[in-house]
């Protein structure tokens, strides 16, 4: 499985901060597969995933 780049939107509260960025996650390269991995990575940094916008092979 190839690594994938997932483009996502996330937020932090108190104060409200919004972010749109990308992160590398292990494949398969589908939004459904990337969603859980991105959510866990962001939660560890204090962010809440709003949506995975797209995925592509790295």
């Amino acid at each position: 499985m190839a690594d994938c780049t997932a483009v996502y939107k996330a937020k932090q509260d108190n104060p409200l901060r919004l972010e749109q960025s990308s992160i590398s996650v292990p494949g398969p390269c589908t939004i459904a597969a990337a969603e859980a991995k991105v959510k866990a990575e962001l939660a560890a940094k204090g962010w809440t995933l709003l949506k995975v916008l797209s995925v592509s092979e790295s």
Side-chain angles (χ1 to χ4, degrees):
M1 279 185 255
D3 278 350
C4 299
T5 300
V7 177
Y8 65 87
K9 286 187 179 183
K11 72 170 187 161
Q12 273 185 333
D13 292 319
N14 294 329
L16 178 63
R17 293 171 57 196
L18 300 174
E19 173 178 85
Q20 180 172 329
S21 190
S22 63
I23 189 169
S24 181
V25 294
C29 290
T30 65
I31 288 177
E35 213 162 54
K37 295 168 187 157
V38 172
K39 187 176 186 176
E41 287 267 340
L42 293 174
K45 298 175 184 174
W47 288 84
T48 301
L49 175 65
L50 297 174
K51 184 173 186 173
V52 174
L53 302 172
S54 65
V55 290
S56 60
E57 280 194 29
S58 300

